[in-house]
């Protein structure tokens, strides 16, 4: 009997960008099920709460075909523990540039040390998203710049409202 191949794509997703969506689409080609795992790290300051980030990811993936194969979940604690609990066979990370490499390599090796069977697969985003990060998007949005072509529609609207009114808009 064939068992589902489950991949896990962890991150802070504060907020999800088109670059993340691109990696999700690519990862879906490799796995039967992809868990987008949003990290709740009380020591990392985020613009959006864990619930808000989850909501935005759930809305954003609606534009992806076969999104029934994507599960959006939150986790705290060690990623390897969460991955094990979910029976994931690999971690997915996007790698944009050499500047990402050192941090990513350290994390991948440490995760493999913590859990011997868990390898990390790095996926390269399409060239047009190579410069994109959640931090850059927040910076542009904060100063009223154009972000519509960098993030899903729901994220652009939400960021705009967040910075204009200081609130998460109720949907
Ligand atoms: O989007 P980010 O901020 O680059 O994601 C980083 C994340 C959430 C993947 C990483 O910080 C993580 O896995 N945190 C969970 C705690 C953990 O397992 N730390 C050990 C990693 S070596």
């Amino acid at each position: 009997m064939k068992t589902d191949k489950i991949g896990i794509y962890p991150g802070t997703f504060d907020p999800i960008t088109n670059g993340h969506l691109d990696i999700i689409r690519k990862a879906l080609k490799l796995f039967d099920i992809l868990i987008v795992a949003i990290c709740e790290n009380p020591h990392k300051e985020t613009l959006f709460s864990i619930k808000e980030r989850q909501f935005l990811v759930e809305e954003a993936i609606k534009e992806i075909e076969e999104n029934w194969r994507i599960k959006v979940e939150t986790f705290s604690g060690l990623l390897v523990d969460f991955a094990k609990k979910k029976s994931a066979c690999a971690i997915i990370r996007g790698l944009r540039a050499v500047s990402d490499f050192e941090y990513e390599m350290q994390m991948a090796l440490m995760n493999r040390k913590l859990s011997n069977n868990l390898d990390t697969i790095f996926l390269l985003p399409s060239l047009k998203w190579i410069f994109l990060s959640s931090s850059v998007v927040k910076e542009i949005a904060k100063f009223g710049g154009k972000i519509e072509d960098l993030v899903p529609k729901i994220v652009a609207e939400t960021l705009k409202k967040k910075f204009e009114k200081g609130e998460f808009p109720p949907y």
Side-chain angles (χ1 to χ4, degrees):
M1 196 183 77
K2 180 185 174 289
T3 49
D4 279 344
K5 211 179 270 179
I6 303 171
I8 191 159
Y9 179 34
T12 306
F13 301 100
D14 185 42
I16 187 166
T17 67
N18 287 349
H20 293 124
L21 283 179
D22 186 40
I23 297 293
I24 291 173
R25 281 195 177 89
K26 291 184 195 308
L28 270 182
K29 292 183 192 156
L30 304 174
F31 296 92
D32 301 308
I33 301 287
L34 183 71
I35 300 173
V36 177
I38 308 170
C39 182
E40 179 168 29
N41 181 351
H43 304 297
K44 189 165 181 176
E45 206 175 302
T46 53
L47 177 65
F48 294 107
S49 73
I50 188 78
K51 284 272 157 242
E52 291 169 344
R53 285 180 278 144
Q54 183 175 18
F55 170 81
L56 291 174
V57 173
E58 279 165 355
E59 288 298 306
I61 60 166
K62 285 182 179 165
E63 69 176 64
I64 295 181
E65 264 179 53
E66 294 202 20
N67 59 22
W68 52 270
R69 294 199 284 119
I70 307 171
K71 312 267 177 258
V72 182
E73 308 212 9
T74 63
F75 77 103
S76 55
L78 285 180
L79 171 63
V80 290
D81 292 338
F82 185 66
K84 198 171 177 184
K85 199 167 97 189
K86 296 289 162 184
S87 309
C89 61
I91 297 169
I92 309 296
R93 291 286 287 174
L95 199 59
R96 288 164 304 188
V98 181
S99 50
D100 283 345
F101 186 74
E102 211 173 317
Y103 167 67
E104 292 296 336
M105 169 125 162
Q106 184 188 27
M107 201 156 64
L109 291 174
M110 187 50 81
N111 281 331
R112 199 172 56 187
K113 181 171 167 46
L114 291 169
S115 180
N116 203 22
N117 284 330
L118 201 60
D119 276 298
T120 300
I121 297 176
F122 293 109
L123 294 177
L124 303 182
S126 305
L127 272 181
K128 62 179 177 172
W129 309 126
I130 226 101
F131 57 89
L132 186 56
S133 71
S134 299
S135 315
V136 162
V137 167
K138 283 182 281 188
E139 180 90 357
I140 298 171
K142 190 171 163 186
F143 296 111
K146 187 171 174 295
I147 51 164
E148 279 73 8
D149 49 353
L150 304 176
V151 291
K153 193 163 175 263
I154 183 81
V155 174
E157 287 169 4
T158 306
L159 270 169
K160 217 166 163 236
K161 287 186 184 142
K162 186 110 181 168
F163 283 120
E164 276 170 10
K165 300 195 183 127
E167 281 169 9
F168 191 77
Y171 289 105

